Amino acid sequence: MRRYGLSDSQWERIKDVLPSREGHVGGTAADNRLFVETVLYRYRASIPWRDLPVRSGDWKNVRRRLRRWCEGGVIERIFRHLAADRDNEYMMIDSTIVRAHQHSAGARKKGGADQAIGRSRGGLISKIHAIVDAAGKAVALSLTPGQRADITEAGPLLDEVDPAAFIADKAYDADPLIEKIEERQITPVIPSRKNRRDPRKISFQFYKNRNIIERFFARLKQFRGMATRYDKLKSTFLAAVQRVYAIIGIN
């Protein structure tokens, strides 16, 4: 299981953000590192919770504890803590489709809750939207049904960052978004669609940096539990994405 474990430097970066740490109000958890590594192992290997190694403890307790951390915002705090150390020279946005396994369907819809699962000809799908900085670190994330247009998440995610330049593909070429970017004095590096009457001039040499986010999605999907969604709840899967993004982004 050590192949899926955290390095000492990775653990040092996140241990002081976790609940039940030494010196924190309440009980001290001696197994925080084991728990974090167990969850990473589960998403890396993409196994059912009940198939976790014996050393991880009762799988029901592990899953229950993960839900507590999701609902308490612990994992989002870890992600934002690590994302705060960002490179603002330029950032880029894109999305990737994740096939949702049939076991991910069927969550109870309390109050019409959206679990971010859509349908396509190929079956159930979800979509991960991300903004990545110049160093290849994810700094803003969201999760939607797979059929949702990419540009719908661009505005809300852009509100969370402040880059000098913003790179995106033609799917994000829309006047409202371009105007919003320019109002914030951010340089848009977004190619114009073919039907635009007055195409914008951009630096395509600079645009080539967009491969950074493509490589990051590729690293993310090395975790089999990210390439295929098995979680029923949006909050659980989004928290898993935040955790994996945070960990692989630590040098």
Side-chain angles (χ1 to χ4, degrees):
M1 184 169 165
R2 292 306 309 163
R3 190 164 75 89
Y4 306 107
L6 299 173
S7 67
D8 290 339
S9 61
Q10 288 175 323
W11 174 244
E12 288 294 325
R13 290 284 301 277
I14 68 171
K15 69 176 185 178
D16 292 334
V17 192
L18 305 180
S20 302
R21 59 189 179 274
E22 187 175 354
H24 190 256
V25 176
T28 300
D31 63 342
N32 266 347
R33 182 167 182 171
L34 174 61
F35 170 69
V36 171
E37 291 181 342
T38 295
V39 175
L40 285 175
Y41 172 74
R42 189 260 176 174
Y43 283 97
R44 179 78 178 197
S46 191
I47 59 175
W49 287 108
R50 64 181 66 246
D51 291 339
L52 287 174
V54 175
R55 71 182 293 267
S56 299
D58 188 337
W59 67 269
K60 293 181 181 178
N61 291 335
V62 174
R63 187 173 66 175
R64 191 178 299 116
R65 185 175 178 182
L66 177 61
R67 285 301 308 155
R68 288 202 308 269
W69 281 27
C70 291
E71 294 169 0
V74 175
I75 296 175
E76 184 171 358
R77 286 201 301 273
I78 297 172
F79 173 76
R80 295 197 179 280
H81 169 72
L82 297 172
D85 180 20
R86 62 185 65 169
D87 186 336
N88 288 320
E89 179 185 357
Y90 59 86
M91 295 182 185
M92 59 216 73
I93 188 173
D94 207 348
S95 68
T96 186
I97 291 291
V98 175
R99 181 63 59 86
H101 193 271
Q102 60 185 6
H103 292 167
S104 67
R108 294 181 180 178
K109 295 183 178 180
K110 298 180 180 179
D114 171 26
Q115 301 304 340
I117 296 179
R119 288 189 177 275
S120 69
R121 292 181 180 180
L124 302 174
I125 52 175
S126 293
K127 183 179 285 188
I128 300 170
H129 304 260
I131 290 181
V132 172
D133 70 3
K137 179 187 298 183
V139 295
L141 293 167
S142 67
L143 186 67
T144 67
Q147 73 274 14
R148 184 78 57 83
D150 291 353
I151 199 168
T152 59
E153 294 298 298
L157 290 179
L158 187 60
D159 289 339
E160 300 182 29
V161 297
D162 190 25
F166 194 64
I167 305 173
D169 61 25
K170 293 182 180 179
Y172 298 89
D173 178 27
D175 289 337
L177 179 60
I178 300 298
E179 291 171 3
K180 179 176 182 177
I181 292 173
E182 292 178 338
E183 285 175 1
R184 294 180 54 189
Q185 299 183 338
I186 300 171
T187 303
V189 186
I190 304 175
S192 300
R193 294 176 184 267
K194 291 183 178 180
N195 60 355
R196 185 174 282 277
R197 293 183 179 180
D198 186 18
R200 292 183 312 282
K201 293 182 179 180
I202 68 167
S203 170
F204 280 96
Q205 189 66 29
F206 193 50
Y207 179 72
K208 289 180 180 179
N209 290 316
R210 203 180 68 83
N211 73 85
I212 293 173
I213 194 169
E214 301 292 352
R215 296 202 308 267
F216 206 83
F217 280 135
R219 291 178 64 195
L220 174 74
K221 290 188 175 181
Q222 289 177 5
F223 286 72
R224 299 181 66 187
M226 299 287 100
T228 301
R229 172 180 171 177
Y230 293 90
D231 297 304
K232 292 180 182 292
L233 299 180
K234 174 182 177 179
S235 58
T236 302
F237 186 63
L238 179 58
V241 174
Q242 289 173 330
R243 178 178 298 223
V244 172
Y245 262 128
I247 295 302
I248 66 177
I250 298 176
N251 296 322

